[in-house]
Amino acid sequence: MQDPKVKILENFVNEIDKNRDKVWGVPVSHISKKNGYLASASYAELSRNLGLSQQGINFDLYKVSGYSPHLEKLNNILKEEGVILKGHIASALEVRRTTKHWWNNLTTKEKLNVKTFGNAIRFKAYIKNWRGGKGYEIVKDCGKELNAELLQLGGLDSNYFAVKDRGTLRDQEYRNKQHQAVQRWDDLAKKSLNSYREFVNVDSSDEPFVQLKQLAALVRKGAASVSSKKKPKEAFVHLCRFLEQNNIDPKSTLQDILSEFLLVRFHQDYVIPKMHNGNIAPSNAPTIISSVRKMLKRATKLKEISFHSFHDVEVKTLGRVTDTYKPYLKSERQAVTRAIQTSIDDTMALFEPYQKSGVGEYSLGDNGFIKPGFSNIENARYLFENHLNCIPTSFNGAQTLEEKGFLKIIEKLDMGLHEVYRSWGVPSVIDADTIAPFVYRLAQITGMNADPLFDIYVDDFVISHETTQKPCLRYWKERSSGGKQLHLDLFEAKLQWLSKKQSEEVKEVFENVIRITDSIRKDAPEHVKDKLFMYKSTGQTTHGEIKSFSDLKGKTTSIYSNFVAKHDLKSESGEPLVFTISRFRPTFVSELLEAGVSIREIQLMLGHSNIETTMNYLDKLDFNRIAREKLTDAISKIHNRIFVKADDEASNKFLDNPDKVIFTTPLGGCSNIFSPPDFVKKVSGFKKGSPCSQYNKCLSCENVMITVDKLPMLFAMKRDYMLLMQRNRIMDTPHGYVIEENLCLLDEILNPKKSDFDAEVLFRAEKLAQFEETAVIDGVTV
């Protein structure tokens, strides 16, 4: 009677013989050289996959009675089908076999969607131990074969040239094509095109948007230099993409394409999003808009077409240096905070203990293939919960039949692998986008810049500093004197987005990040292992590498744009928010100022060794409005302390203004600032004998509109006040305090370091002031 296990092997080999396509699913392994062959079917894998005895694994299936003829037949099939080749090592043949088996099991649609790089299939993303170098030429040939097939299917570009080969491959035929393309632009611009009827008939041409191309060719013809001739061509390409994006038929006529709002929509719906995504450089956006504007202007001159005008736009580029110094506005802060907290909450929810669903059933047959009709998400979840131990696997790391079967089911679903994991509440990949919200949160709490944030280590948060016994965050600040220590509760400022003390917030960020990076930290390189912010790269050339956020310095644009796009963050003007870590620092300072925190405390929080550095920083951050409010309050307090009491003889002496001193302003004059009208005297806080609290308030009001033409008179007033201080004894009287107040206010307006006006404008105004005459004080006899 035949051994049942021998029967299993016999049936398996007969099935392979009948369906030779399955031969690529038989693993191969190394053998001693025999008749020129260095590989055979892997007996160990056969034993495991077919459920044969352990004896087959430990000794050799050839030595087991009944197995030998079937294995001989199987090896002959492998040789006939080219799975095993003479003179080729088993490791190379196995990689080649795995690759072909993977490829043969893909549908045409799946093949067209495989990852590519450099116009070739990115095999490393799918095949473990993929090699194409020395000793593995057969693998390299296999790659060329599959790339050729994908090229035939239309998944690769037949006109593609590798970067290193482009210089040598630009043969005469290629140059001729380039010349023909340039010549086509010249030919389109030969006609004067004063009338719409002179344009190419769209039905007689295969070129998409051919009439629009003619319009661009006319603009190009008028360009003076070679470089400027490229701009209309580039603008035409972008405008075509915009039209395609809006499902406009490439056969559309110019009459159908043109509209008065075309430039506005192109700018708003195409250029701005492309700038935010990094696909259009901010410096290039004005050039593109300008070229499209020229095309539309040329179109308005055409006869026999109902297009006479269009709405123009002002191009606002992104990423300007000044933007990085501007705090987020209140509504923007709230939106950013919600987005950060939502991202953190969603991520932390993934790290809760996994709850098994109990759905699905076992979906693999005896041969390891998926049973017909069993490729659904419930059965994939069954394998995940009962055979993968609820541990995520990937296409690069699948080993067991169940892992491979699980991934095959996922491939047939509409959802991606990581999307499936996330829907089950399972953390699958700790990439930069996952960690970024925690970085943003720490920037919110501390006001730290990106570089020191990225370089923080896991032990840099100290609950109780050895000297102050207070919570402390150590960090390294570049371009400074070295190590810095940021004390977290030197003040009790009630910031808008902090519900707890800073130290508690920072502690929570540290604990959460350490928890979610635990699975990758143990495999991180030594120089990364102790960094707080780390991630697993998903880049094409660095896939799977564990990196520190400090590796991202200067490469954070995509992370910012991903965050803005995911949460649809908008500025107050409705445009996509200019989002960077750099803006958290001025926002942090803005919150401190609004909360009434002193400059000295802000200096300590920012880690500045000199308070002048802090003052310059505040000036650079455009905090004039807040600073002016603080200055006005401070001056009022000073005046209240230094003015003599109302019942003193010195005060009473000036109530009647015996010297007839009249203070003038650009708005008028005051005959006696110490004796204001009754409605002023009734204002709370007014003290008899004090100067009028309303005098000259317009200059200190944030609603005042001071125009450039008023600046020469203000400089003249300042000049005359300074002369009075030198030539008269008026400064020894209470009137002197009013003059000092006016000088302080004028300094806020006219000092280039404090003023909202440009330094050059102020310089010209000061020159013009010499022609202005004032009478800042009339009737001075003191």
Side-chain angles (χ1 to χ4, degrees):
M1 182 177 177
Q2 188 180 24
D3 187 335
K5 293 184 178 179
V6 174
K7 186 64 176 177
I8 291 174
L9 178 62
E10 181 183 3
N11 292 339
F12 174 77
V13 174
N14 289 337
E15 178 65 22
I16 295 293
D17 193 20
K18 290 178 184 177
N19 189 352
R20 292 291 180 104
D21 289 340
K22 294 183 178 181
V23 74
W24 295 98
V26 180
V28 301
S29 62
H30 174 74
I31 61 170
S32 299
K33 191 171 183 179
K34 183 178 181 180
N35 298 326
Y37 289 96
L38 299 169
S40 71
S42 173
Y43 307 140
E45 288 295 325
L46 284 174
S47 299
R48 277 191 287 267
N49 295 341
L50 299 179
L52 304 180
S53 66
Q54 290 295 315
Q55 184 181 17
I57 298 174
N58 296 332
F59 298 102
D60 187 345
L61 288 179
Y62 271 115
K63 298 178 181 178
V64 179
S65 175
Y67 285 178
S68 181
H70 303 302
L71 292 172
E72 192 73 38
K73 180 179 179 180
L74 178 61
N75 279 318
N76 287 334
I77 294 173
L78 295 181
K79 294 171 184 176
E80 291 168 9
E81 296 299 321
V83 178
I84 299 175
L85 299 174
K86 273 186 178 182
H88 291 281
I89 59 176
S91 56
L93 292 171
E94 176 61 9
V95 174
R96 170 174 170 267
R97 181 203 65 79
T98 304
T99 304
K100 283 208 170 189
H101 182 60
W102 162 72
W103 183 255
N104 293 341
N105 282 278
L106 295 179
T107 65
T108 301
K109 182 179 179 181
E110 289 170 336
K111 289 178 180 179
L112 290 172
N113 288 326
V114 296
K115 298 177 182 178
T116 61
F117 180 74
N119 207 47
I121 301 169
R122 193 153 63 92
F123 291 106
K124 286 186 178 180
Y126 304 99
I127 308 301
K128 186 179 181 181
N129 298 326
W130 169 265
R131 299 178 188 174
K134 187 176 180 180
Y136 282 75
E137 288 83 359
I138 193 171
V139 177
K140 192 174 183 179
D141 292 340
C142 173
K144 290 180 179 178
E145 176 187 335
L146 300 188
N147 278 319
E149 181 180 339
L150 186 58
L151 182 65
Q152 287 292 110
L153 293 173
L156 298 177
D157 183 4
S158 59
N159 296 319
Y160 178 85
F161 290 101
V163 175
K164 64 184 180 62
D165 297 329
R166 287 174 190 174
T168 56
L169 293 179
R170 294 190 181 214
D171 55 11
Q172 188 60 46
E173 181 181 356
Y174 180 75
R175 287 194 293 272
N176 287 341
K177 289 181 180 179
Q178 292 292 91
H179 176 73
Q180 290 170 8
V182 173
Q183 187 62 45
R184 177 57 178 161
W185 279 89
D186 293 337
D187 292 340
L188 288 173
K190 283 182 178 179
K191 291 185 179 180
S192 58
L193 295 178
N194 293 318
S195 170
Y196 178 64
R197 287 189 295 180
E198 295 179 55
F199 279 72
V200 174
N201 189 309
V202 294
D203 294 326
S204 64
S205 174
D206 294 328
E207 293 180 87
F209 305 108
V210 63
Q211 292 185 348
L212 191 64
K213 188 173 183 178
Q214 278 185 281
L215 198 61
L218 286 176
V219 175
R220 176 181 174 273
K221 181 180 180 181
S225 63
V226 175
S227 60
S228 59
K229 286 182 179 294
K230 295 178 181 179
K231 295 173 183 177
K233 293 172 65 176
E234 181 184 8
F236 167 75
V237 171
H238 284 292
L239 190 54
C240 288
R241 289 173 183 170
F242 164 71
L243 296 173
E244 291 168 352
Q245 178 179 299
N246 287 274
N247 300 316
I248 304 299
D249 187 353
K251 286 282 187 180
S252 297
T253 64
L254 200 59
Q255 180 76 60
D256 294 329
I257 293 171
L258 298 178
S259 74
E260 61 180 334
F261 296 104
L262 178 60
L263 187 61
V264 176
R265 290 179 54 231
F266 175 66
H267 173 250
Q268 185 67 35
D269 299 339
Y270 182 88
V271 175
I272 290 178
K274 291 291 183 184
M275 281 198 294
H276 280 286
N277 294 334
N279 295 324
I280 293 180
S283 59
N284 199 31
T287 302
I288 295 171
I289 292 294
S290 176
S291 295
V292 174
R293 182 186 293 116
K294 290 177 181 177
M295 292 164 60
L296 298 183
K297 283 184 177 179
R298 182 65 178 81
T300 60
K301 299 177 182 179
L302 295 173
K303 298 177 182 178
E304 300 172 334
I305 187 172
S306 57
F307 182 74
H308 308 294
S309 64
F310 60 92
H311 290 277
D312 206 348
V313 296
E314 177 185 356
V315 183
K316 296 180 179 179
T317 59
L318 302 177
R320 294 173 298 174
V321 174
T322 53
D323 286 341
T324 63
Y325 295 119
K326 290 185 178 179
Y328 294 110
L329 300 177
K330 186 174 181 179
S331 61
E332 296 170 349
R333 297 176 201 168
Q334 293 171 344
V336 168
T337 299
R338 285 194 299 268
I340 291 174
Q341 196 57 53
T342 298
S343 297
I344 290 176
D345 290 343
D346 289 347
T347 298
M348 296 314 300
L350 297 176
F351 286 85
E352 295 298 321
Y354 178 75
Q355 300 295 325
K356 289 188 176 182
S357 64
V359 301
E361 57 183 305
Y362 193 76
S363 53
L364 303 182
D366 294 337
N367 55 6
F369 294 104
I370 301 169
K371 299 175 184 177
F374 278 69
S375 294
N376 56 58
I377 195 167
E378 289 81 10
N379 292 337
R381 193 160 187 176
Y382 178 90
L383 291 174
F384 177 76
E385 293 177 353
N386 298 282
H387 295 274
L388 274 66
N389 298 320
C390 302
I391 299 174
T393 188
S394 64
F395 290 99
N396 291 332
Q399 298 290 335
T400 67
L401 283 176
E402 283 76 12
E403 287 177 335
K404 295 174 182 177
F406 167 79
L407 294 174
K408 282 191 175 297
I409 295 177
I410 297 299
E411 284 184 305
K412 297 179 184 297
L413 302 177
D414 293 332
M415 300 171 67
L417 177 61
H418 298 303
E419 188 180 356
V420 169
Y421 283 139
R422 185 169 285 273
S423 69
W424 293 348
V426 176
S428 57
V429 58
I430 312 300
D431 59 7
D433 288 326
T434 303
I435 300 298
F438 296 92
V439 183
Y440 305 153
R441 182 60 183 148
L442 196 56
Q444 280 186 322
I445 301 166
T446 63
M448 292 172 64
N449 282 326
D451 287 354
L453 273 175
F454 293 170
D455 285 331
I456 284 179
Y457 289 84
V458 292
D459 60 351
D460 279 345
F461 175 68
V462 180
I463 291 289
S464 179
H465 190 266
E466 61 272 14
T467 303
T468 64
Q469 306 304 311
K470 294 178 180 294
C472 172
L473 180 61
R474 295 189 293 259
Y475 68 97
W476 189 267
K477 185 175 180 182
E478 293 184 359
R479 299 183 303 277
S480 185
S481 57
K484 296 288 182 181
Q485 292 184 335
L486 177 62
H487 290 268
L488 298 177
D489 61 354
L490 292 172
F491 64 96
E492 290 294 335
K494 295 181 180 178
L495 303 185
Q496 182 178 343
W497 48 32
L498 296 185
S499 58
K500 302 178 181 179
K501 291 181 180 179
Q502 263 189 313
S503 58
E504 294 173 344
E505 294 276 357
V506 172
K507 180 183 179 183
E508 184 177 356
V509 170
F510 268 68
E511 289 176 345
N512 287 340
V513 174
I514 291 171
R515 179 183 174 191
I516 65 179
T517 56
D518 180 65
S519 60
I520 64 173
R521 192 172 295 277
K522 59 180 180 293
D523 299 323
E526 284 302 316
H527 70 283
V528 174
K529 190 164 296 200
D530 294 327
K531 291 289 183 74
L532 178 64
F533 298 118
M534 61 169 58
Y535 67 97
K536 199 169 213 177
S537 175
T538 55
Q540 291 184 339
T541 58
T542 59
H543 191 277
E545 293 181 17
I546 300 172
K547 294 178 169 291
S548 163
F549 259 67
S550 55
D551 297 325
L552 287 173
K553 291 177 182 178
K555 305 174 184 177
T556 52
T557 303
S558 62
I559 299 177
Y560 295 153
S561 60
N562 290 346
F563 187 75
V564 170
K566 179 180 179 181
H567 299 282
D568 193 27
L569 296 176
K570 303 285 187 182
S571 66
E572 283 204 340
S573 62
E575 296 180 353
L577 183 67
V578 178
F579 179 82
T580 65
I581 287 180
S582 302
R583 294 190 69 185
F584 284 117
R585 188 169 177 84
T587 302
F588 176 74
V589 176
S590 177
E591 294 274 15
L592 296 180
L593 286 172
E594 292 176 1
V597 179
S598 71
I599 300 298
R600 178 65 66 181
E601 288 173 312
I602 293 174
Q603 174 198 353
L604 292 172
M605 289 303 303
L606 297 181
H608 294 158
S609 58
N610 193 316
I611 197 168
E612 289 186 7
T613 305
T614 307
M615 297 299 292
N616 291 335
Y617 184 78
L618 297 181
D619 183 56
K620 182 175 66 173
L621 294 185
D622 192 26
F623 288 138
N624 285 340
R625 175 185 62 82
I626 299 174
R628 184 170 292 172
E629 291 175 357
K630 302 296 181 184
L631 178 65
T632 303
D633 290 342
I635 289 174
S636 298
K637 291 177 182 178
I638 292 171
H639 288 173
N640 290 336
R641 287 198 302 268
I642 63 176
F643 278 134
V644 292
K645 294 182 180 178
D647 55 355
D648 284 354
E649 288 186 15
S651 299
N652 293 327
K653 174 184 176 182
F654 294 96
L655 290 178
D656 296 328
N657 194 18
D659 298 315
K660 305 302 180 185
V661 175
I662 298 175
F663 276 83
T664 61
T665 74
L667 306 177
C670 178
S671 61
N672 191 349
I673 62 171
F674 288 92
S675 182
D678 289 338
F679 74 89
V680 175
K681 293 178 182 178
K682 294 178 181 178
V683 175
S684 61
F686 175 76
K687 294 181 180 180
K688 187 179 179 181
S690 300
C692 174
S693 60
Q694 306 301 312
Y695 172 75
N696 214 18
K697 281 292 182 182
C698 289
L699 287 180
S700 63
C701 176
E702 74 177 68
N703 292 324
V704 69
M705 296 178 64
I706 301 174
T707 55
V708 173
D709 60 319
K710 298 292 185 184
L711 292 178
M713 178 59 73
L714 294 178
F715 270 109
M717 289 179 64
K718 180 180 177 181
R719 175 198 66 207
D720 290 348
Y721 278 134
M722 297 296 290
L723 289 173
L724 276 171
M725 291 175 66
Q726 298 173 21
R727 299 175 182 176
N728 291 281
R729 291 173 44 236
I730 194 171
M731 298 307 296
D732 297 330
T733 73
H735 293 292
Y737 299 126
V738 181
I739 293 174
E740 288 182 344
E741 179 183 16
N742 288 346
L743 285 172
C744 286
L745 292 171
L746 289 169
D747 186 64
E748 285 294 303
I749 299 168
L750 305 178
N751 189 330
K753 293 184 178 180
K754 303 176 182 179
S755 177
D756 294 327
F757 291 100
D758 184 76
E760 186 176 348
V761 171
L762 294 172
F763 177 79
R764 289 198 300 267
E766 189 172 13
K767 292 293 184 184
L768 293 172
Q770 60 184 311
F771 304 107
E772 298 283 353
E773 292 185 2
T774 73
V776 291
I777 298 181
D778 286 338
V780 177
T781 59
V782 292

